Amino acid sequence: FGEGANDSSFVKNKEYLATAASLLGLEPSMVESFLTTNESITAGEVITRNLTAEKATMARDAMTKTLYGRVFSWIINRVNSLLAPQERLQPKDYQEIGILDIFGFEHFEKNSFEQLCINLANEQLQFFFNEHIFMWEQEEYRKEGISWQEIKFVDNNPLLVRR
């Protein structure tokens, strides 16, 4: 953002502005206005205030986070709807609270895309834990000639290997 007169700001790179506006289905001038001004309505009167470049940057970041969150939710909902059973369930029948742990895959009657992501994260956390606590420590004991009883554990690395 550039600084204009009277604590106003403007978008320096009009090409980025045009791309963002096109993706949002809006006119570039509209998006620039959203990012560089603040409107409020008081007693039926619309008051428009200019934003400084710093505040416009904060507005851009807030808009970006909101858009990212909404697109991510849309993707998750879309994937879930594609994976959902053919019969339509009532919302009360599919809401759930999940608990993230590091003990591997959970087996449910129904799994969602979110659960797949959680399961993958769980497996990665479990591998990290296994590697640091079991593998590396036991290797250190071997190097130092320390007598101990070897701890057996399931190595989940094959689940995480990308082919």
Side-chain angles (χ1 to χ4, degrees), residues 114-131:
E114 291 103 321
Q115 189 61 47
L116 175 66
C117 293
I118 289 169
N119 288 344
L120 179 59
N122 284 347
E123 290 301 326
Q124 290 171 330
L125 287 169
Q126 185 66 51
F127 178 75
F128 180 83
F129 179 83
N130 289 347
E131 185 177 52

Side-chain angles (χ1 to χ4, degrees), residues 21-76:
S22 173
L23 290 170
L24 293 169
L26 300 170
E27 290 297 319
S29 60
M30 224 177 176
V31 174
E32 186 168 23
S33 176
F34 294 153
L35 295 173
T36 60
T37 62
N38 181 1
E39 286 187 358
S40 57
I41 300 174
T42 306
E45 183 182 348
V46 177
I47 300 170
T48 304
R49 293 184 185 92
N50 293 326
L51 296 179
T52 64
E54 180 183 3
K55 287 186 179 179
T57 299
M58 290 190 301
R60 178 205 58 205
D61 293 348
M63 183 180 81
T64 302
K65 288 176 187 175
T66 300
L67 287 171
Y68 177 85
R70 289 188 179 190
V71 168
F72 183 79
S73 293
W74 179 85
I75 291 169
I76 296 297

Side-chain angles (χ1 to χ4, degrees), residues 56-119:
T57 299
M58 290 190 301
R60 178 205 58 205
D61 293 348
M63 183 180 81
T64 302
K65 288 176 187 175
T66 300
L67 287 171
Y68 177 85
R70 289 188 179 190
V71 168
F72 183 79
S73 293
W74 179 85
I75 291 169
I76 296 297
N77 289 332
R78 184 74 177 124
V79 168
N80 283 339
S81 71
L82 292 172
L83 297 174
Q86 293 303 314
E87 69 274 3
R88 289 287 170 219
L89 301 173
Q90 296 299 315
K92 66 178 177 55
D93 295 330
Y94 62 81
Q95 291 179 346
E96 65 182 69
I97 296 175
I99 299 174
L100 179 61
D101 61 58
I102 63 166
F103 297 107
F105 285 91
E106 287 78 18
H107 299 281
F108 297 116
E109 266 185 52
K110 303 180 295 188
N111 273 317
S112 62
F113 181 67
E114 291 103 321
Q115 189 61 47
L116 175 66
C117 293
I118 289 169
N119 288 344

